[in-house]
Amino acid sequence: MNIGVFLLIEPFASVEQQLLRAKAMGFNHADITDTNAGGSMLGTAGFSPTVSLDTNPFEVKRLFEKHGLVPSSVCAHAALLEPSNPGVYATSEIMKAIQFAAAIGVKDVVTTEMEAKSNWARSLTHDEQVLIVAEKLCVPVQMAADYGIRLLLEPHGPITDSIQGVQDVLERLGNPASLGVNLDTGNSWLGGADPVEFAKVFQDKIHHVHWKDLSAEWIPKRGKEFGCGFSTIALGEGVIDIKGVCDVLKNCSIESSTLEIVGDEDVLKQSVSYLRNCGL
């Protein structure tokens, strides 16, 4: 399994600067971490590591190649529980991300529903949430199949943070081969699930992993928050059973994974060593 890094290493820095930092730390793989439709003012100015889904994807591929890195996935995290709105990142952007990834040979596009923010979204029942998420992913899932892409659901919201929720969305969409799971060890644990059990249930559907460990200070927040972005400690130092997840997944045919950890180079290298010692 390849172990890459999120391209959010340095604040207010361009994609190219993030790639330089990642390569200097010894990484050969990285996610296309932040994406947007149209143009980004800060991205254009070089103050944000965002990639426009409307740019020439081969320019991005060449940028990765220039610095000796391979893009392992395209992130397309969306607000799928919110009312449809052209100003909200959702179905249209996911479809663009699928086309973008397919053009340059990236196999996986990662998405999720994220936390409900509006009063309308927070009022939805579980069944309504499942239906709305499935409806917004219906065409992207079909498109992913046509383009040979896997659209992966990441635990990062009230539906995807639970095993039952992910199962319900998969079943509502007919459990197609083009729809899989990106296991996020930190998000699933924080949302109240057991990441080891998550890995066991979906091991045949997991094609990418986001690695996080969390310290004991997060325990009171468990089951109350959805998604934590990044961890600040090395893998193996927190309360999450990372080794247990590795034991489940180490014999699966998962090609790539990503460290979602902010910290200095030693923290990232220590995390890579921990995963390798766990058999990955």
Side-chain angles (χ1 to χ4, degrees):
M1 180 188 295
N2 295 320
I3 302 171
V5 65
F6 244 32
L7 292 181
L8 291 173
I9 300 168
E10 182 178 326
F12 303 108
S14 67
V15 173
E16 183 160 24
Q17 179 62 23
Q18 308 291 342
L19 290 168
L20 283 166
R21 292 289 304 279
K23 189 62 179 180
M25 291 180 178
F27 289 100
N28 296 316
H29 293 77
D31 287 354
I32 297 177
T33 303
D34 183 25
T35 59
N36 62 278
S40 163
M41 184 183 71
L42 290 180
T44 300
F47 292 115
S48 173
T50 189
V51 170
S52 173
L53 296 172
D54 291 304
T55 196
N56 178 359
F58 290 92
E59 290 291 347
V60 178
K61 182 181 181 183
R62 283 190 281 269
L63 185 60
F64 271 70
E65 291 173 343
K66 173 183 175 182
H67 297 289
L69 279 92
V70 176
S72 50
S73 74
V74 176
C75 292
H77 290 35
L80 299 178
L81 294 174
E82 299 301 326
S84 296
N85 179 340
V88 174
Y89 193 115
T91 301
S92 178
E93 287 71 29
I94 296 171
M95 292 168 67
K96 287 183 177 182
I98 289 168
Q99 293 173 311
F100 190 104
I104 56 175
V106 178
K107 185 68 176 178
D108 297 314
V109 172
V110 180
T111 193
T112 190
E113 84 279 28
M114 295 198 290
E115 185 171 0
K117 295 181 179 179
S118 67
N119 290 333
W120 185 87
R122 287 194 293 266
S123 72
L124 298 172
T125 67
H126 175 85
D127 288 345
E128 288 171 335
Q129 289 177 326
V130 170
L131 178 61
I132 286 172
V133 169
E135 188 276 333
K136 287 178 177 170
L137 292 180
C138 182
V139 173
V141 166
Q142 295 169 353
M143 177 182 280
D146 289 333
Y147 276 94
I149 294 296
R150 295 180 296 223
L151 184 61
L152 306 183
L153 290 174
E154 176 183 325
H156 208 305
I159 292 296
T160 53
D161 270 355
S162 75
I163 291 173
Q164 186 62 56
V166 173
Q167 288 176 323
D168 290 344
V169 172
L170 292 174
E171 290 173 6
R172 189 66 183 79
L173 287 165
N175 203 26
S178 60
L179 182 61
V181 174
N182 171 70
L183 176 59
D184 188 303
T185 56
N187 290 352
S188 56
W189 178 90
L190 183 61
D194 176 0
V196 177
E197 187 64 20
F198 224 106
K200 290 178 180 178
V201 171
F202 297 113
Q203 60 180 297
D204 293 334
K205 299 286 287 185
I206 294 172
H207 302 293
H208 193 81
V209 182
H210 285 170
W211 297 107
K212 298 189 190 85
D213 203 349
L214 297 174
S215 60
E217 66 182 332
W218 286 88
I219 292 176
K221 302 177 183 180
R222 193 177 186 198
K224 301 175 184 176
E225 295 188 11
F226 305 104
C228 54
F230 297 88
S231 63
T232 58
I233 60 173
L235 298 178
E237 292 187 345
V239 296
I240 300 175
D241 186 4
I242 301 296
K243 184 180 184 304
V245 174
C246 291
D247 288 341
V248 175
L249 299 181
K250 64 184 179 183
N251 294 320
C252 298
S253 56
I254 300 173
E255 296 177 7
S256 61
S257 65
T258 307
L259 299 179
E260 282 194 349
I261 301 170
V262 292
D264 59 26
E265 183 174 345
D266 290 340
V267 172
L268 293 168
K269 287 185 175 181
Q270 182 179 334
S271 296
V272 173
S273 295
Y274 182 84
L275 292 176
R276 294 307 187 202
N277 290 334
C278 287
L280 295 186

